[in-house]
Amino acid sequence: MRNDKLFFSFFPLALVFSLFFLGCSPSGSVGKPCEVSFSWWGNESRNQYTIEGIKLFEKENPSVKVLPIHESWEEYEKNFEKKLLSGNCADVMQVNFDWLHKYSGDGLGFYDMGSLDEYIDLYNFTMDDLSFGTMKGRLNAIPISFNTAIPVYDKKVLDELALDIPSTWDELFNLAKMLKKKDMCVFTMSNRHLFFLAVAWFEQTYSKKVFTEQGRLDISLEEIGLIFDFVKRLVSENVVYSPTKGIRIAALRERKVIGAVLWCSESSLILTEAKALGGNGVLGNFITTPGARESGWYLKPASMYAIKKDTEHPKEAAMLVNYLLNSQDFALLQKNEKGVPISNKSLTALMEKGQLESMQYTALMKIRFNSAAINPMIPIMEDSQLITAFSSEVFAYLDGGKSKNEAAEEFWKFVNLRK
């Protein structure tokens, strides 16, 4: 298991080394002219700055031609497994954290970038950073940034109610009680974050983890039922708005909610909405049960870069990975769009140019200052199929389509009996 205290204690020292070695990136031609493919997902804005960055990389490395492969998230996720298993994936690819465990449990699904340290400035990352991408001793992927679910509020409404930002579940439900008088809820959120919120409550309240490290449920059917009942309470007592429809940022504009639970990399969405309404978007606290022995909150890489396991051009692929992660030029193009970068060289570039005055950066600092209260995410918790199964069963219970025991049993079977 990852050591969070080690992760945070390494940060200042690693930053010093990155500043000292600022000009030590490998650059220039490595060998004969070749083509390296690179795949990523995202909106058109991400596509545009990535293409611009690729052109700069090619200018610096004229022997390397980059073949860009850009898709929407939906397309990328749908096509990834088929491309990877058929050997038709890109030489360099953006990957999700849980894909390492899904496709490289033996550590052999992706290239070992630890053997390419001549071309990738690994000193910009702590050992703990790299542990997220290490499978069976092989460095399969390197994180771009970190993410955790976090509550965000329009503080203007809290001030009007003379209430502080909630720190405990009781305070959260008290806030919801006050908002109910105004026909408002506390949060809009995705089904994924609804699941995370329920897990946090259960683990804190019962001092027991929901999942094993191997990704199996470590709780009984009765305990699954307790989680389902807590979701029911979140909905019935106006904590969560319209859960079956997922997150709706517009609900803030419509005065249906005063905040959201979302990824810290997305937190500025609430800031923008709150400002448009004359409010003040602020980060919330990691809600806890007083005296809890389990934190219930989890940290994960927002996304990562990996190299094809049998690429014909490992050195050139490594040079591209190094550019994407550690180039100050690319950092200034990307800014915080994929979250605040954890590469100390990229972070330094943004700090020097004043590009870190954002809620995302504040969220990163909040993560660092609350390191003891955030666990490394168990990969199964990122599995989209698991989130779909949980949502389907809990909503079937809430809607009366299934009994609590029936829904809990179906969810247990999905997680523990699937291959």
Side-chain angles (χ1 to χ4, degrees):
M1 170 125 354
R2 184 173 164 276
N3 185 326
D4 287 298
K5 292 184 179 179
L6 180 65
F7 164 63
F8 291 102
S9 65
F10 272 170
F11 175 73
L13 182 61
L15 181 57
V16 170
F17 277 109
S18 74
L19 289 169
F20 183 77
F21 290 106
L22 208 57
C24 295
S25 301
S27 61
S29 176
V30 174
K32 297 179 180 179
C34 69
E35 183 176 76
V36 174
S37 54
F38 167 43
S39 63
W40 71 95
W41 69 78
N43 57 25
E44 186 55 31
S45 173
R46 180 179 294 184
N47 181 39
Q48 289 178 2
Y49 77 71
T50 304
I51 293 295
E52 186 176 347
I54 287 173
K55 290 178 181 178
L56 290 175
F57 172 80
E58 291 177 331
K59 185 176 180 180
E60 294 175 9
N61 303 276
S63 69
V64 184
K65 174 68 175 176
V66 178
L67 174 64
I69 304 171
H70 168 253
E71 294 178 299
S72 68
W73 161 247
E74 292 76 14
E75 293 171 323
Y76 200 97
E77 183 184 33
K78 177 182 178 181
N79 298 329
F80 184 80
E81 180 173 315
K82 181 170 63 176
K83 288 183 178 181
L84 182 72
L85 299 182
S86 67
N88 292 321
C89 59
D91 295 292
V92 175
M93 62 196 101
Q94 186 177 351
V95 297
N96 248 9
F97 173 50
D98 65 299
W99 294 352
L100 302 186
H101 299 260
K102 187 174 183 179
Y103 302 117
S104 189
D106 58 2
L108 301 177
F110 301 96
Y111 204 98
D112 180 11
M113 288 190 281
S115 66
L116 297 169
D117 57 350
E118 180 181 353
Y119 305 99
I120 304 176
D121 296 340
L122 296 179
Y123 59 77
N124 280 298
F125 305 87
T126 70
M127 292 174 63
D128 244 8
D129 293 341
L130 300 179
S131 73
F132 276 95
T134 301
M135 303 295 294
K136 301 296 183 181
R138 294 167 59 87
L139 183 57
N140 278 199
I142 301 175
I144 301 168
S145 60
F146 283 122
N147 235 343
T148 187
I150 194 166
V152 187
Y153 303 87
D154 182 349
K155 193 171 185 300
K156 180 182 179 182
V157 181
L158 289 172
D159 291 342
E160 290 171 353
L161 296 172
L163 292 173
D164 294 327
I165 295 172
S167 295
T168 68
W169 299 105
D170 286 345
E171 290 172 356
L172 177 64
F173 281 104
N174 182 54
L175 171 59
K177 185 178 180 180
M178 298 287 288
L179 290 174
K180 191 171 185 177
K181 299 174 184 178
K182 297 176 176 288
D183 195 27
M184 296 175 72
C185 296
V186 183
F187 297 130
T188 179
M189 67 182 74
S190 68
N191 291 337
R192 183 180 302 277
H193 291 121
L194 179 62
F195 172 68
F196 289 166
L197 202 66
V199 167
W201 167 83
F202 177 86
E203 293 191 350
Q204 293 169 14
T205 303
Y206 294 94
S207 298
K208 183 176 184 180
K209 290 192 179 298
V210 172
F211 294 98
T212 66
E213 289 293 328
Q214 292 70 40
R216 299 299 183 187
L217 283 170
D218 201 24
I219 56 177
S220 66
L221 292 178
E222 182 180 358
E223 289 168 325
I224 295 173
L226 291 173
I227 293 175
F228 283 9
D229 279 336
F230 182 71
V231 172
K232 184 176 183 179
R233 186 185 176 199
L234 289 172
V235 175
S236 65
E237 296 189 27
N238 279 51
V239 173
V240 179
Y241 172 71
S242 189
T244 56
K245 295 181 180 178
I247 190 166
R248 290 185 66 249
I249 299 299
L252 194 72
R253 210 177 309 137
E254 298 163 359
R255 293 300 189 186
K256 297 295 185 182
V257 300
I258 68 164
V261 175
L262 31 60
W263 293 121
C264 65
S265 62
E266 302 171 326
S267 56
S268 57
L269 293 173
I270 298 299
L271 177 63
T272 301
E273 287 292 324
K275 277 186 176 180
L277 295 168
N280 179 25
V282 294
L283 293 174
N285 302 311
F286 294 107
I287 301 168
T288 60
T289 299
R293 296 198 298 270
E294 292 285 348
S295 80
W297 294 92
Y298 287 87
L299 177 75
K300 66 141 193 157
S303 62
M304 314 176 82
Y305 288 125
I307 294 176
K308 184 179 180 181
K309 66 178 181 180
D310 55 356
T311 178
E312 295 180 3
H313 306 290
K315 294 178 181 179
E316 289 82 0
M319 289 173 59
L320 178 57
V321 167
N322 187 67
Y323 174 83
L324 295 168
L325 291 170
N326 296 317
S327 165
Q328 295 193 318
D329 289 336
F330 190 69
L332 293 172
L333 288 173
Q334 183 167 272
K335 299 183 176 65
N336 301 321
E337 199 274 338
K338 288 186 180 177
V340 178
I342 60 171
S343 160
N344 286 320
K345 183 178 275 188
S346 293
L347 189 60
T348 299
L350 296 182
M351 290 174 67
E352 289 177 345
K353 297 295 184 181
Q355 298 289 342
L356 288 179
E357 296 301 318
S358 70
M359 187 175 279
Q360 289 181 348
Y361 180 64
T362 305
L364 175 65
M365 293 300 101
K366 198 174 188 74
I367 291 171
R368 294 194 186 285
F369 293 141
N370 288 274
S371 60
I374 309 176
N375 296 318
M377 185 167 286
I378 299 167
I380 188 66
M381 295 176 69
E382 261 286 273
D383 190 304
S384 296
Q385 293 180 336
L386 177 137
I387 302 301
T388 298
F390 175 81
S391 305
S392 175
E393 297 305 328
V394 76
F395 293 149
Y397 166 51
L398 266 59
D399 294 342
K402 290 183 181 180
S403 69
K404 180 168 60 178
N405 288 341
E406 289 172 337
E409 185 174 1
E410 287 301 313
F411 182 61
W412 188 93
K413 286 179 181 178
F414 173 83
V415 179
N416 282 6
L417 299 184
R418 69 173 180 166
K419 295 181 180 179

